[in-house]
Every structure is written in structure tokens, then in C-alpha cells.
Amino acid sequence: MEGRIIVVTSGKGGVGKTTATASIGAALAMEGNRVAVIDMDIGLRNLDVVLGLENRIVFNIVDVVNKKCKIRQAAIKDRRIENLFLIPASQSDNKDILSTSGIKRTAKTLKKEFDYIIMDSPAGIEKGFENSVVAADEAIVICTPDVSSIRDADRVIGLLYARSITPKIVVNRIIPKMVAKGDMLNHQDIMEILSVELIGLVPMDEQVVISTNIGLPLVMQNDSKAGQAFKRIARRLNGEIDLPIEIPISKTGIWNKISQKFGLTK
Amino acid sequence: MNFENNLSVKLKGVGDGFWVTLNPLAKEAKLKKDISQLFERLKHLAINAKVVIDIGDGVGYDELISNIGLFLKEKFDVGFVSQSPRKKSKPLKRIRQRDLSKEWAHHRSDVLMIRGRVRSGQKITTKKHIVIIGDINPGAEIYVGGDIIVMGKLMGQVYAGYPNNDKAIIIAIDFKPTQVQIGSFIARELNKNSSEIRAKFACVKKSIVVIQDYLKANPFKDIPWPEVI
Ligand SMILES: Nc1ncnc2c1ncn2[C@@H]1O[C@H](COP(=O)(O)OP(=O)(O)OP(=O)(O)O)[C@@H](O)[C@H]1O
Ligand SMILES: [Mg+2]
């Protein structure tokens, strides 16, 4: 069976695309899938740092697309998580260096070798975004509970629709206390505007920064709420569509998670 | 027209003259008799006065009017006699006939009807009116020559009567736009953070974009027949 190419994108920068790519990729691999996470943010490489693999880079995605090396040579195998591979971005080139036909050819090969190929898209809707979505089968749009991020996510949803991709939404950096007080938009308000399928709600979690700094995948930290949320997103992607979406709550230490079942929120 | 006391004539002072309303169906002799009765009371005030003769909607009474004019000049020494300017509007009877004959069957209305969500970054432009069955997200733009009707939540930027038709209107079931412009006027206060869902109606009144509760204002309640726009 062919693998699925999933692009992680957002329009707005800094909302958690790279964090989501690393976490969902790692979680899918922990579920037993062969996973490649690919950094498409050419010139602003990040994914390697988040995964703690930055000191093992030899080749990168630009080398693969431009036939300077084989996928096998560029893919860095994670030593902690079986079946997780990273193809990093190049740090020196710019986004114009990748040709559409080169990306499509590479994608074909990737689909033969992996179950999931997760592409970390750069911010914006220009060339880098185009490069990331040109070969994608599916898309995850990350947004945060703020007006400008929602507007950008909405724009990106429209652009993906135009390419016959119906994306799924992850709302990241939710601060339950603020939502409870009405100081932060709740996910219902957000989904009312975006109105595509919601696939996960991820709370603000200081473990994200810690895990990035020590290069340990978030989903390997069992006490990370964001990590747990990303794990459930991975399970939903992996076929457990009935897994309820948990709404982050502020009461720490108490396991009275209020969960809500969404089915197909259209 | 209401003629009191069995008189076929009404007299009103206007500015520096008099306004004489006649019942053109009355006999000329009766008219002259009634006119005399009223003008005799004026005494010297009638001398050299300007007189306007008004026969309402009647047509084809030019001879009657000139006879009455001559009569007034001779008998009461009025200065100048003229006929009331004809009203420009079509006679009510004809308007009614037209509407009863189903005007909408003969006119095509220029409306673009759309279903679905309009998302951020999308822009809909048309010279027509637009009806959108669906929501308009923040960041979406609607630019139309005519009216805008949103059967859903309006959150984006809308411009009705583009570029300079100040008579255009905007109606939305849930009215929370980011920006509203009608013709050459931009709405000032939009209060888009209010959580209540209310159908609202925007139009230009005295060079200001006025936004009202649609059901309360019921802006078209006084149009007696359906008309094509
Ligand atoms: N759930 C979270 N809780 C706390 N911090 C988070 C969370 N998600 C992301 N962050 C932090 O937000 C910052 C931006 O995240 P990330 O780099 O994943 O975003 P991005 O969308 O990839 O950004 P860019 O557009 O620059 O590529 C990082 O410092 C990350 O640690
Ligand atoms: Mg990133």
C-alpha cells in the first residue's frame, strides 16, 4: 500500500507547525508506522533541532529533490523511536531551488518507502507553501486561539480546497484558564468560522519548550499534556476516528477530563 | 379632494397670492358663483394678486381654466393667473394597474445567488445584487454594485453600491462585519463583538451609514406592492 503525504501548515508563523510535525510523526512511528518527517522550511531549518537530530545531518531534502543523493542517504534514523526518519531542510538555499516536478518525483518514491510522510511547511502562502502542498494527499492546518491566526488558517483552508484537499484542524496553545474566563476564544467559536473537521486540541504546555531544548520528542514525555494531545491526534489520523477529542481543562492533577465526542464536525 | 359646504372651489393664501382648487367636474356657472362668494370676502386683497388654479389630476380642462382666469381678471382685478404645475409622478391608478399586472413577470432582476462559506482571502465582485446563503468569514471581501443579503453570519468586509450607489442596502441574519461601506460612505461604529444574534439592516441616511435591527425597523413595510429591484 502507498504511504500518505500529510502537509502541516498554517499561514501564520510560530503557531506550532514544527512542534506538531515532530510530535505527530513521532507518535505515528511509536504506533508502529514507518514515518518520514520532512522539513520543507528551506533556509530556516528547525525540525532537526526539535527532534534533537541536528548533529547527524549529512544530506538534505534539496539534495534529494535535485538527485544529489538517495532518500536513504538523506533520511536520518531516530535512535530512540523505531521507524522514525527525518529528512532535514537545507540551511543555505532558498525556496526557489526546488522544482515542482522534482518534488513530485521525490514524493512518489517516498510513498513507496514510508507509511506516513509528514511535511513541515514554512509560514506564509508563497513558494515554500506551494512546495509543501504540491505533492500532499492530506493537510493539517494548525491555528492558535487568536483572531489573526484564525484568519490565516481560513485563508490556507481556501487555498487547500482549491487543490482538492480538505484539511483537518489542530488548535494549539490553548490556555484553558483564559478560555474559562472568556479571555481566549474557545474552540467552538474557532470551528464555527473554519468549519472543517477538528482533529485535536493542544494545550499550552511548558514541556514543549523543555523538550525542544533537550531534543527529546514531546510524545515520549508521559507527563506532557501537549504530548498526550498530539498522540491522540496521531491515533485519529491512523484510523481511530471515533477517539473523542479532549478539551483541555485548567484543573491540574485532577483526572476529571471532560471529553466531547465530535464524530464528523463539518 | 374635499370640497366643504357644497362649494366646488377651495381658496388658500400662498405667499403673495392665492391658490384656487377647483372641482373640474362642476358646471362653469356653479364654479364662477362659488369663486365670487369666496373672492368677495377678500375685497381689495384680490386686486393685482397672483392666482394659481389647481384642478388636481384632471386633464383636458384648459378651456375651463382660461375662462375662469378671464373671469377673475375682469371681476376681481387679479393680476396674474396661472395653472398649477402638473405633478410628475404617474397617476396612482396606473401604478396600481402595473403592479396588479405582475411587473416581476416582465423584468429580470440582476441577482447573483451564492451558497456556501466565503473564506478569508476570497473576494467576490459583481455589478449585480448578491444573495449569499452561508457565512462570510473575517478577511473575506464582497464588492457589489447593488444590495447585499447574507442568509448567515456576516463577519467579513462588505461594500454595497460599489462604487457610488448610496441607495444600496445590506441585510444579514447575523450582522457582525469587520467593515461596511455603502456607496461613498463607510460605517463608523460596528459593535462587532456583541454576542447577540440579530438580523440587521444597513443603509445610508443623511450621509451616514445607519445600522438598524431589521425586524424592528421593518424598512420596506411601506412599499404597498412588491416591486422589482
Ligand atoms: N502547545 C504549546 N505549548 C507551549 N509552547 C508551544 C506549544 N506549541 C508550540 N510552542 C512553542 O511555540 C514556538 C513556535 O513553535 P513552532 O516552531 O512549532 O511553530 P512553527 O509554526 O513551526 O513556526 P514557524 O512558522 O516559524 O516555522 C516554539 O517556541 C514552540 O516551543
Ligand atoms: Mg516551523
Side-chain angles (χ1 to χ4, degrees):
Chain A
M1 217 180 77
E2 282 220 318
R4 293 156 65 186
I5 301 185
I6 304 174
V7 60
V8 178
T9 186
S10 68
K12 192 171 157 72
V15 297
K17 293 179 292 294
T18 302
T19 307
T21 304
S23 304
I24 294 170
L28 283 168
M30 286 162 80
E31 296 263 310
N33 302 286
R34 245 179 105 75
V35 179
V37 291
I38 303 183
D39 194 342
M40 295 297 283
D41 203 345
I42 313 298
L44 286 170
R45 169 169 99 195
N46 269 171
L47 193 54
D48 53 323
V49 180
V50 173
L51 284 168
L53 299 172
E54 70 271 28
N55 49 16
R56 293 177 47 205
I57 295 173
V58 182
F59 293 107
N60 58 53
I61 186 68
V62 176
D63 298 325
V64 175
V65 171
N66 291 341
K67 296 187 185 168
K68 293 228 175 76
C69 71
K70 293 263 160 49
I71 288 172
R72 219 176 311 123
Q73 292 171 283
I76 304 164
K77 188 175 159 36
D78 193 291
R79 290 200 182 111
R80 302 148 299 191
I81 302 172
E82 186 91 13
N83 289 328
L84 177 63
F85 296 82
L86 163 72
I87 302 180
S90 85
Q91 182 69 333
S92 52
D93 299 302
N94 70 44
K95 282 151 186 147
D96 300 323
I97 201 155
L98 298 177
S99 71
T100 304
S101 56
I103 295 168
K104 283 185 174 162
R105 195 196 59 243
T106 308
K108 245 188 212 165
T109 320
L110 284 166
K111 283 166 88 146
K112 287 193 193 113
E113 295 189 19
F114 297 94
D115 299 318
Y116 288 97
I117 301 101
I118 320 278
M119 303 239 186
D120 181 15
S121 134
I125 52 173
E126 292 87 23
K127 188 76 175 125
F129 167 79
E130 301 276 341
N131 286 343
S132 317
V133 301
V134 70
D137 303 303
E138 298 163 45
I140 294 174
V141 171
I142 314 283
C143 77
T144 57
D146 72 275
V147 176
S148 60
S149 153
I150 293 162
R151 195 174 290 196
D152 289 1
D154 194 30
R155 174 92 172 106
V156 163
I157 292 167
L159 294 172
L160 290 166
Y161 261 126
R163 292 181 163 76
S164 306
I165 299 174
T166 305
K168 298 181 169 88
I169 302 292
V170 169
V171 184
N172 187 24
R173 299 177 141 249
I174 295 172
I175 303 173
K177 235 189 269 171
M178 288 180 71
V179 175
K181 272 202 283 179
D183 293 335
M184 186 178 258
L185 286 168
N186 67 38
H187 69 277
Q188 285 101 333
D189 292 338
I190 298 169
M191 296 318 292
E192 199 183 301
I193 291 175
L194 300 181
S195 73
V196 284
E197 189 185 336
L198 177 67
I199 194 169
L201 302 171
V202 181
M204 187 75 118
D205 181 357
E206 57 186 27
Q207 290 290 333
V208 175
V209 182
I210 297 170
S211 90
T212 302
N213 288 343
I214 59 174
L216 182 68
L218 192 61
V219 289
M220 292 183 79
Q221 307 192 6
N222 283 328
D223 56 345
S224 162
K225 286 189 165 185
Q228 297 304 313
F230 280 122
K231 266 189 179 169
R232 285 191 300 275
I233 291 168
R235 283 170 62 190
R236 263 176 227 117
L237 279 175
N238 203 25
E240 289 183 58
I241 48 170
D242 288 338
L243 189 69
I245 286 174
E246 282 183 28
I247 300 168
I249 49 160
S250 53
K251 290 204 183 69
T252 41
I254 300 170
W255 285 94
N256 61 341
K257 289 180 191 159
I258 305 163
S259 55
Q260 198 170 327
K261 202 173 152 178
F262 274 86
L264 286 172
T265 320
K266 274 275 151 73
Chain B
M1 246 177 286
N2 245 344
F3 295 92
E4 291 152 32
N5 311 328
N6 284 327
L7 289 180
S8 58
V9 177
K10 267 200 313 192
L11 180 64
K12 224 172 36 173
V14 281
D16 55 351
F18 298 97
W19 188 279
V20 180
T21 310
L22 304 181
N23 178 1
L25 300 173
K27 292 217 173 74
E28 201 178 318
K30 161 80 169 156
L31 287 168
K32 284 180 176 164
K33 186 177 155 253
D34 290 346
I35 284 172
S36 301
Q37 192 187 325
L38 294 171
F39 269 75
E40 263 149 29
R41 285 188 221 153
L42 296 175
K43 296 190 175 125
H44 67 278
L45 286 177
I47 295 165
N48 276 331
K50 280 185 200 162
V51 175
V52 178
I53 297 176
D54 180 5
I55 53 160
D57 285 326
V59 270
Y61 296 101
D62 292 357
E63 200 193 327
L64 177 75
I65 289 165
S66 78
N67 287 350
I68 298 286
L70 269 176
F71 171 74
L72 282 168
K73 280 183 183 164
E74 279 166 16
K75 194 165 175 197
F76 295 104
D77 284 321
V78 303
F80 181 79
V81 180
S82 64
Q83 194 183 343
S84 70
R86 292 221 65 84
K87 283 174 192 144
K88 282 199 198 101
S89 65
K90 286 186 205 151
L92 198 56
K93 212 165 134 195
R94 273 180 48 203
I95 296 176
R96 291 188 189 191
Q97 271 167 0
R98 184 199 64 194
D99 287 306
L100 288 174
S101 67
K102 297 200 179 74
E103 185 202 13
W104 49 88
H106 309 293
H107 290 267
R108 286 246 313 283
S109 183
D110 270 334
V111 180
L112 175 66
M113 194 147 153
I114 283 183
R115 186 159 45 200
R117 180 172 297 275
V118 189
R119 292 183 183 274
S120 171
Q122 291 180 318
K123 182 172 177 178
I124 298 179
T125 320
T126 173
K127 291 192 175 114
K128 308 174 180 184
H129 304 294
I130 195 166
V131 176
I132 296 163
I133 308 175
D135 295 348
I136 298 172
N137 278 1
E141 294 171 71
I142 313 286
Y143 277 63
V144 308
D147 300 340
I148 299 174
I149 294 172
V150 183
M151 302 301 290
K153 188 168 182 170
L154 167 54
M155 296 169 281
Q157 185 181 338
V158 284
Y159 192 150
Y162 174 81
N164 49 25
N165 171 15
D166 299 344
K167 292 213 172 70
I169 58 157
I170 300 166
I171 299 172
I173 290 186
D174 191 2
F175 193 94
K176 295 191 179 69
T178 3
Q179 202 190 100
V180 167
Q181 182 160 0
I182 297 176
S184 35
F185 302 101
I186 298 177
R188 271 178 261 164
E189 281 160 54
L190 285 172
N191 192 22
K192 67 185 158 88
N193 292 324
S194 135
S195 61
E196 63 172 352
I197 295 173
R198 277 206 300 167
K200 285 191 188 164
F201 162 75
C203 64
V204 174
K205 276 186 193 161
K206 292 183 186 152
S207 304
I208 289 172
V209 177
V210 180
I211 296 161
Q212 289 167 288
D213 184 303
Y214 177 65
L215 292 175
K216 266 193 216 146
N218 200 355
F220 306 113
K221 65 172 183 288
D222 294 329
I223 298 179
W225 300 281
E227 57 186 39
V228 177
I229 52 169

